[in-house]
Amino acid sequence: MKKINVAQVIADSKFNRFHFSLLAWCFLIILFDGYDLVVYGTVVPVLIEEWGLTTVQAGAIGSYGLFGMMFGAIILGILADRIGRKKVTAISIVLFSLFTVLCGFTTNVLLFSIFRFIAGLGLGGIMPNVIALLTDYSPKKMRSMAVSIVLCGYSVGGMLAPILGILIMPSLGWESIFWVAGIPLLLLPLMYKKLPESAVYLARKRKTEELFKNLRKVDPNITFDGTEELEHIPVDNSKVPVVGLFNNKRGLSTVMFWTAFFSCLLMVYGLNTWLPKLMIEAGYGLNSSLGFLITLQGGAMVGTIIIARLCDKYGSKKMLVPMYASGAIALTLLGFGGNTFYIYVLVAVAGAATIGAQNIVQAYVSQYYPPNIRSTALGMASGIGRLGGMMGPLLGGFLLSIALPIEMNFIAFAIPGLIAAIALTFVSDKRSYVNMPNRVSPENVTATNATLSEAAD
């Protein structure tokens, strides 16, 4: 009896319209995730003046959304491995898009903070599930590149916020920047129709008809005659997804991933919240300071693509460790100033080595763990990372409130980069998960093939 290995069919497939559609939708979703990364930092100088906020208060408001992301990443990441990544992605988009739009309709600090928290719940669930879903269906030869291309959407969204801040905020007000986040809500019905459910979930739930339809899209040349025995994507023994992160000698690597996520997101959210304000303190105007924010995201995008190619060739760990370290060096030098061109170069390097590194480490994690706990692994790492993200705006606000020399502010954000580099050196070089093929009965396969034959006729 012929055996069909789902994982092998997907791994050996060639990039086609199905993959392009999946990549495009994932890119768009992550774009708005990145938009939110920077949207608060774009308007915070205006809110400080308009609402009479102290820097500590503004930092606290920035952390409320990250607090929501922490819970969203953990809860929705684990839930997706139970009810499916497609469903949880849709839930996440509704929460994020709706409540970010509502932020633009309030002038009440308390309501604004509550809406940011609820939006954060949705944002926390987006990244783990989108990246896990993309990894599930990408051909093996371009898996890292596909994830990295989609994660560039994070930086495109991060650039979009300050660009809109420059173009429309002077005439339409800061509220308009939040209204743009409603676009994913409008596209949700079409997106839900086009996105596939994860193969591992369909196989586990014995939804063979839908699984075979997806496999036909992945590889249009594949044929079934009704006698095949279907092998499930390899899974892990653990009944509790979080426990599975520590099985098969993965415990130390898991903790080190969490440390790297925590440190890197502290830098990322700290910089994206306070870089415009820090540059204003250094003597630049608001538009120039927003220009540095655009450069930060541009550097992240270019760095992600270049380093992703090198990761495919030399391995993610070998590239990420020096990348984190170079980010720490760039941030340290940034605090000591220089001519404008030099500053822009340092900001671009910092973007590549902070946001770019965070993009690539997520691609690393998505392939390090077995498919059935992939969303859980990304969700837990992102959730722990959000704790660092929460500390970033608070740390920046505190440092500004005590009026330290500008270089000390940048050094404070550089130190976590060194910690992340050290942490990743302890991650095991081998992915250690057990192959445990689950089989769907030939009867189910026969019924599925009959349905597919009817559809073809």
Side-chain angles (χ1 to χ4, degrees):
M1 184 179 291
K2 182 181 178 181
K3 296 181 180 180
I4 302 295
N5 188 302
V6 175
Q8 198 63 45
V9 170
I10 294 172
D12 293 341
S13 65
K14 294 182 179 180
F15 191 84
N16 58 32
R17 286 189 303 172
F18 169 80
H19 297 107
F20 179 80
S21 175
L22 176 60
L23 188 144
W25 281 109
C26 290
F27 183 93
L28 182 65
I29 295 168
I30 296 300
L31 183 151
F32 281 95
D33 190 7
Y35 182 85
D36 185 83
L37 169 70
V38 182
V39 68
Y40 181 67
T42 300
V43 304
V44 74
V46 178
L47 290 182
I48 287 175
E49 183 177 348
E50 186 172 316
W51 289 357
L53 302 173
T54 67
T55 55
V56 173
Q57 288 174 323
I61 293 173
S63 293
Y64 295 146
L66 300 174
F67 193 55
M69 288 183 199
M70 178 187 68
F71 286 105
I74 295 172
I75 296 171
L76 295 176
I78 294 173
L79 184 63
D81 285 326
R82 299 286 188 183
I83 70 171
R85 288 163 191 159
K86 179 178 177 179
K87 294 176 185 176
V88 173
T89 298
I91 293 170
S92 300
I93 289 173
V94 171
L95 287 172
F96 149 66
S97 190
L98 176 61
F99 285 93
T100 301
V101 169
L102 289 176
C103 284
F105 287 97
T106 180
T107 57
N108 182 291
V109 175
L110 177 61
L111 270 181
F112 184 90
S113 301
I114 292 172
F115 291 158
R116 287 293 290 167
F117 173 80
I118 299 175
L121 292 174
L123 281 166
I126 287 176
M127 183 72 76
N129 290 296
V130 167
I131 299 308
L133 186 61
L134 183 65
T135 302
D136 285 345
Y137 281 107
S138 294
K140 185 178 180 180
K141 290 183 179 179
M142 63 168 298
R143 197 164 286 163
S144 293
M145 181 53 63
V147 172
S148 298
I149 289 172
V150 164
L151 286 173
C152 282
Y154 204 61
S155 297
V156 173
M159 294 171 66
L160 182 62
I163 288 174
L164 290 178
I166 293 171
L167 295 178
I168 70 174
M169 195 162 60
S171 57
L172 298 179
W174 62 265
E175 296 90 347
S176 60
I177 307 300
F178 289 94
W179 298 339
V180 175
I183 294 175
L185 199 60
L186 301 176
L187 297 175
L188 184 58
L190 181 60
M191 181 217 72
Y192 196 79
K193 181 180 178 181
K194 295 294 185 180
L195 282 181
E197 184 52 87
S198 67
V200 66
Y201 174 80
L202 295 175
R204 188 172 70 245
K205 295 297 182 180
R206 302 297 192 261
K207 295 186 176 183
T208 54
E209 180 178 345
E210 188 176 349
L211 176 57
F212 270 80
K213 285 182 179 179
N214 288 343
L215 289 180
R216 292 281 295 268
K217 293 176 182 177
V218 168
D219 186 356
N221 297 319
I222 195 169
T223 58
F224 308 103
D225 59 19
T227 63
E228 294 88 357
E229 186 178 57
L230 185 64
E231 290 188 356
H232 185 222
I233 297 175
V235 300
D236 194 278
N237 252 336
S238 176
K239 294 182 179 179
V240 181
V242 176
V243 174
L245 304 181
F246 295 87
N247 288 344
N248 300 312
K249 300 180 181 179
R250 286 192 293 264
L252 178 62
S253 296
T254 292
V255 173
M256 292 300 101
F257 277 129
W258 291 357
T259 302
F261 268 65
F262 179 94
S263 301
C264 191
L265 284 179
L266 189 154
M267 291 191 296
V268 168
Y269 280 91
L271 284 174
N272 278 286
T273 299
W274 290 114
L275 184 61
K277 182 66 174 177
L278 286 171
M279 300 314 288
I280 288 173
E281 293 292 322
Y284 296 90
L286 177 60
N287 281 356
S288 296
S289 298
L290 292 177
F292 287 120
L293 204 54
I294 295 170
T295 303
L296 188 77
Q297 300 300 328
M301 187 165 54
V302 174
T304 297
I305 294 297
I306 294 174
I307 301 300
R309 295 287 295 178
L310 296 175
C311 285
D312 283 334
K313 185 174 182 179
Y314 299 108
S316 297
K317 179 179 173 179
K318 290 181 180 179
M319 297 309 303
L320 281 167
V321 172
M323 196 171 180
Y324 280 129
S326 65
I329 295 171
L331 285 174
T332 300
L333 294 176
L334 193 59
F336 292 94
N339 65 59
T340 303
F341 177 77
Y342 172 71
I343 294 298
Y344 271 109
V345 170
L346 289 178
V347 170
V349 172
T354 55
I355 302 170
Q358 181 62 21
N359 291 344
I360 293 171
V361 78
Q362 292 193 78
Y364 187 15
V365 170
S366 74
Q367 297 175 61
Y368 190 86
Y369 293 90
N372 71 308
I373 58 171
R374 186 169 286 150
S375 286
T376 299
L378 283 164
M380 286 298 300
S382 295
I384 298 298
R386 300 301 177 184
L387 286 172
M390 289 166 58
M391 288 185 62
L394 289 172
L395 176 63
F398 171 74
L399 292 174
L400 283 168
S401 71
I402 59 177
L404 287 175
I406 194 71
E407 61 268 18
M408 297 303 297
N409 290 273
F410 284 101
I411 290 174
F413 285 118
I415 292 173
L418 293 178
I419 295 174
I422 294 170
L424 278 192
T425 61
F426 291 97
V427 172
S428 173
D429 292 323
K430 295 182 179 179
R431 290 175 294 171
S432 54
Y433 51 85
V434 181
N435 294 333
M436 297 178 58
N438 292 336
R439 294 177 174 80
V440 177
S441 66
E443 292 82 7
N444 286 341
V445 176
T446 302
T448 300
N449 291 332
T451 301
L452 291 171
S453 297
E454 292 173 5
D457 293 338

